[in-house]
Amino acid sequence: MAKGTTDSNQTVHPSEAPGVKRESLVLNNRSMSWITDRVCGIVENRQPFVWWILFVPSVLLASCLGYTLVYLVSTGVGVWGNNQPVAWGWAIVNFVFWIGIGHAGTLISAILFLTRQKWRTSVNRAAEAMTLFAVVCAGIYPGFHVGRFWMVWFLAPVPNSNEIWQNFKSPLLWDVFAVSTYFTVSVIFWYIGLIPDLATLRDRATTKVRKFLYGMFALGWRGGNRAWKHYEMGYLLLAALSTPLVLSVHSVVSFDFATSVVPGWHTTIFPPYFVAGAVFGGFAMVLTLMIPIRSLYGLQDMFTLKHIDNMAKIILLTGTIVGYAYIMELFMAYFSGNKFEGDAFYMRIVNGPYTWAYACMFFCNVIAPQIFWFDKIRRNLVVVFIVVMFVNAGMWFERFVIITTTLARDFLPGQWGYYSPTWVEWLMFAGTFGLFMMLFLLFIRFLPVIAISEVKGVLPESDAHYPDWQKLKKGRAGADA
Amino acid sequence: MKATTNSKPAYGYVAEFENATAIYHAAEKVRDAGFKRWDVHSPYPIHGMDAAMGLKKSWLSALVLAGGATGGLTALFLQFFTQVNLYPTVVQGKPTDFSTLPAFFPVIFELTILLSAFAVLGGLLVILMLPRLNHPLLASKTFLKFSDDGFIMSIEARDPKFSRERTKEMLESLGATNVELVEDEV
């Protein structure tokens, strides 16, 4: 083990020790000021034309969301295609879809922090932002799915006008607590991580407005070690708190299904299966966003092929877990000997109204990512981008399969029905994508997409025991040009 | 900002060092010289600097433990009081007494995490005495390099060991490339 010890006499830096050759996290021997310039430059310079090409339609789509919501509230939930027996339709499909995407950010910031995966530093900021925006999109759906939006305060733990309290034994109420806690803690985690970088932007600001606004949000951060000491402790604690939290959120979402007695939902495999699926879909969305961003803003030296390779491996792993869960679900349906459970899966896969959705799901989630077994493929941006697009679609189909096919075929054939979305649901779903993209583009415009201070901390020379400053200086001469 | 003009009281010195190694070893010397009111400002947290400065472990964790305990107990109280005592609702034939504890775990867990996270944020702001937007150090151009690639040491004039001449000499002898006296704004 050649990892850095406290021994200050050591002459070989861990990153240069023989036998532990690792790919650098920041390529081309970049210096700290290069990192500052490159990341802050995105915020300080004019946005590339592509930014506007993406931003304008995003705003238009987001306003469609606003329109459909107003239409929904003023007319009634009948404008959705929800019916009996499929009362959960797209509203819940899209809720679970978005909340699942929102899992990658905290996973990268918390779990990879605790497991000391240093490569997380270039990805975590954007992934956390993506998490927040995905949870915003998710939160819209159950809020409006309650039917009378102005009654949504019934979800809060206060007695309603008849002095009736919420039923705390209901998984739906657990969900309210889980999702709102998740959002709040993610915001805190994100903001605490941003403080040092906001200070960097403040200190570089050339206009009064910038200096004032970044200065306000940087809270007067002065980067003293006495502050870093508490800051690092706080960050560690938040990571330790967020790790079980992120696992709990999708577990609780899965309880909405698993604690009901509907065949196809009433299974114990749901919590781990949902969490693996959420990580899977979330990483796919991170790559969907980061692959274009790294080329557009010239971040290839910080967000390297090594990062993409690692994330593709996580997608492969979680995709395989999801595939295992799909198959195990079938096995349990057969092995339990339960007629209804067996029939639910028979009608889901072989003979039912939505078998095509199951096929899409299985191909996108289980088969498509298997291509990531190959080293070369994981570093081929085009193929990776196509595969993560499949995963994005596949995870949406998974939620559609779980919710719609199950509800459309429950115990009595007399209750069976069919569900298809209306134009309002289509427009609303597109609108959430618009909102998501709009928020993300604004994030790129106004905040550092890469955690500047954290990336500086993984450079080899960040170590106080870095052995060879002369060599570093020579190697760097002209590198930043 | 000359050291000889005494029109304004001095906040202290800021001294720039070349790199993490230089400031690490300088910090060890300043610690051994017995200074108390000083700090090392860097763009990222330098590992081992706590020991080099002679700092103890952060006690933020104690606040967070208290926050978590408050959250857990609040949730326990909220659920038992409303579900067992104030408004027992019989849903799906489930009991309305203390045996329903397992159903209360998710909310207990979530509120524990939520209040712990609030304690992290609130605790940090209180311990670090932030926000403070008008600190004298922020007026120094040399100091502001800390948020890019500068390694800056600050020694406050309030430190009993501080002396305009000797502290400056000490910082220069420790290898500081640039020593600047910062005025106090107050």
Side-chain angles (χ1 to χ4, degrees):
Chain A
M1 205 180 84
K3 188 75 197 88
T5 59
T6 48
D7 177 14
S8 56
N9 295 325
Q10 131 196 22
T11 49
V12 181
H13 189 266
S15 67
E16 289 158 13
V20 288
K21 198 72 191 160
R22 284 194 171 187
E23 236 171 292
S24 308
L25 293 172
V26 178
L27 302 179
N28 290 332
N29 207 6
R30 299 298 189 183
S31 69
M32 294 193 186
S33 63
W34 182 87
I35 294 173
T36 314
D37 282 341
R38 183 50 63 99
V39 180
C40 294
I42 299 174
V43 176
E44 288 160 354
N45 301 334
R46 289 177 77 92
Q47 289 302 312
F49 189 58
V50 183
W51 188 89
W52 287 101
I53 291 183
L54 292 168
F55 186 68
V56 173
S58 303
V59 174
L60 291 176
L61 271 179
S63 47
C64 289
L65 175 68
Y67 167 72
T68 47
L69 289 176
V70 170
Y71 181 65
L72 175 82
V73 171
S74 58
T75 315
V77 274
V79 300
W80 278 348
N82 296 5
N83 55 31
Q84 287 301 334
V86 187
W88 271 15
W90 268 30
I92 303 302
V93 172
N94 294 339
F95 162 68
V96 182
F97 172 72
W98 279 116
I99 198 91
I101 285 176
H103 276 61
T106 311
L107 182 104
I108 291 173
S109 359
I111 298 182
L112 298 187
F113 181 80
L114 292 184
T115 51
R116 304 190 180 204
Q117 298 296 306
K118 287 186 172 176
W119 59 272
R120 69 182 266 290
T121 52
S122 347
V123 200
N124 67 344
R125 172 68 44 72
E128 283 171 43
M130 182 210 75
T131 288
L132 298 179
F133 306 147
V135 177
V136 167
C137 292
I140 292 170
Y141 280 104
F144 283 88
H145 190 252
V146 298
R148 298 176 200 155
F149 182 67
W150 52 98
M151 298 291 209
V152 81
W153 63 276
F154 275 27
L155 296 172
V158 285
N160 70 15
S161 31
N162 297 325
E163 290 193 30
I164 299 173
W165 279 84
Q166 288 71 24
N167 175 19
F168 280 96
K169 285 167 263 179
S170 162
L172 298 178
L173 193 65
W174 303 345
D175 221 11
V176 173
F177 277 85
V179 173
S180 51
T181 300
Y182 184 59
F183 182 73
T184 315
V185 174
S186 300
V187 170
I188 293 174
F189 204 5
W190 188 58
Y191 179 62
I192 288 184
L194 266 171
I195 291 174
D197 293 357
L198 289 169
T200 303
L201 282 166
R202 168 198 69 195
D203 297 343
R204 290 167 57 94
T206 44
T207 66
K208 271 228 152 97
V209 180
R210 271 172 185 275
K211 201 165 192 73
F212 176 74
L213 287 175
Y214 287 123
M216 280 259 290
F217 287 106
L219 305 175
W221 176 256
R222 296 186 299 282
N225 194 59
R226 288 170 202 274
W228 278 123
K229 178 183 84 166
H230 297 294
Y231 178 95
E232 283 198 288
M233 175 59 91
Y235 203 83
L236 174 69
L237 286 169
L238 276 181
L241 292 166
S242 302
T243 299
L245 178 66
V246 69
L247 301 180
S248 86
V249 177
H250 229 54
S251 299
V252 170
V253 170
S254 80
F255 290 161
D256 294 346
F257 302 93
T259 58
S260 69
V261 286
V262 179
W265 285 1
H266 190 64
T267 55
T268 48
I269 202 175
F270 262 31
Y273 157 29
F274 269 49
V275 170
V279 172
F280 178 60
F283 268 86
M285 188 56 92
V286 174
L287 278 176
T288 310
L289 296 171
M290 288 307 278
I291 288 175
I293 288 175
R294 78 191 276 278
S295 319
L296 193 58
Y297 294 102
L299 301 174
Q300 288 94 337
D301 287 342
M302 280 174 278
F303 188 69
T304 65
L305 290 177
K306 168 80 182 158
H307 292 91
I308 293 170
D309 181 83
N310 281 349
M311 289 163 85
K313 281 178 186 161
I314 292 180
I315 289 179
L316 174 62
L317 171 71
T318 48
T320 312
I321 295 174
V322 167
Y324 171 80
Y326 293 162
I327 292 162
M328 193 43 79
E329 228 178 12
L330 297 185
F331 175 73
M332 291 313 291
Y334 154 74
F335 196 64
S336 66
N338 184 317
K339 170 107 179 91
F340 294 103
E341 192 77 9
D343 281 0
F345 284 94
Y346 177 74
M347 284 183 285
R348 188 181 281 187
I349 301 167
V350 185
N351 179 20
Y354 298 108
T355 48
W356 54 273
Y358 191 89
C360 287
M361 170 193 93
F362 204 88
F363 174 78
C364 295
N365 287 350
V366 185
I367 299 177
Q370 296 305 320
I371 200 171
F372 284 155
W373 284 104
F374 301 100
D375 210 18
K376 282 232 170 69
I377 297 283
R378 290 197 304 268
R379 284 165 185 261
N380 183 328
L381 294 182
V382 178
V383 181
V384 170
F385 194 76
I386 292 170
V387 173
V388 296
M389 280 304 188
F390 272 118
V391 174
N392 287 331
M395 284 314 289
W396 187 86
F397 274 114
E398 180 191 301
R399 279 67 182 247
F400 183 79
V401 164
I402 291 174
I403 292 169
T404 312
T405 64
T406 312
L407 288 177
R409 289 285 176 275
D410 77 16
F411 295 100
L412 294 173
Q415 290 179 336
W416 290 358
Y418 188 79
Y419 163 84
S420 53
T422 63
W423 65 270
V424 179
E425 282 165 303
W426 278 105
L427 200 56
M428 213 172 145
F429 185 45
T432 51
F433 271 100
L435 179 68
F436 179 74
M437 282 303 290
M438 182 184 87
L439 292 172
F440 199 80
L441 288 163
L442 287 174
F443 156 72
I444 297 174
R445 170 68 187 79
F446 290 111
L447 292 170
V449 279
I450 284 185
I452 306 170
S453 70
E454 290 191 38
V455 174
K456 284 175 188 166
V458 299
L459 290 178
E461 77 255 34
S462 70
D463 191 341
H465 301 298
Y466 189 70
D468 199 352
W469 290 99
Q470 294 305 324
K471 197 176 125 195
L472 180 82
K473 264 191 185 169
K474 254 186 255 162
R476 185 161 283 158
D480 283 356
Chain B
M1 277 181 226
K2 287 175 202 154
T4 47
T5 51
N6 288 326
S7 55
K8 277 186 175 178
Y11 171 79
Y13 279 113
V14 294
E16 190 182 355
F17 287 81
E18 201 180 357
N19 53 43
T21 310
I23 205 163
Y24 179 88
H25 293 303
E28 289 175 323
K29 301 263 168 48
V30 176
R31 171 197 68 193
D32 294 341
F35 282 88
K36 294 285 171 240
R37 307 194 70 98
W38 61 291
D39 210 342
V40 168
H41 308 263
S42 53
Y44 60 90
I46 300 170
H47 284 282
M49 188 54 86
D50 290 356
M53 285 179 68
L55 302 181
K56 293 198 192 84
K57 182 176 161 285
S58 166
W59 50 278
L60 179 66
S61 43
L63 290 182
V64 177
L65 179 66
T70 313
L73 291 174
T74 307
L76 204 61
F77 172 77
L78 173 74
Q79 296 183 89
F80 273 118
F81 182 62
T82 60
Q83 306 296 295
V84 177
N85 198 321
L86 196 62
Y87 200 95
T89 328
V90 181
V91 182
Q92 298 160 344
K94 287 174 190 159
T96 54
D97 56 18
F98 286 86
S99 64
T100 52
L101 182 65
F104 296 157
F105 277 179
V107 174
I108 295 173
F109 173 78
E110 301 298 341
L111 281 191
T112 306
I113 301 282
L114 183 66
L115 267 75
S116 305
F118 284 151
V120 171
L121 182 64
L124 267 182
L125 294 182
V126 170
I127 294 175
L128 307 184
M129 300 214 281
L130 296 177
R132 176 170 179 187
L133 307 184
N134 67 334
H135 198 275
L137 284 176
L138 296 174
S140 156
K141 280 265 179 286
T142 310
F143 174 76
L144 290 184
K145 286 184 194 167
F146 90 89
S147 68
D148 181 13
D149 60 351
F151 295 87
I152 313 287
M153 184 179 288
S154 68
I155 299 186
E156 291 181 40
R158 286 188 294 173
D159 193 294
K161 295 240 169 200
F162 183 88
S163 133
R164 289 208 175 193
E165 290 75 35
R166 270 175 288 132
T167 306
K168 187 169 192 223
E169 279 165 25
M170 180 191 73
L171 285 167
E172 276 161 357
S173 73
L174 290 175
T177 51
N178 179 13
V179 183
E180 184 186 311
L181 186 74
V182 178
E183 286 171 354
D184 206 336
E185 284 176 336
V186 187

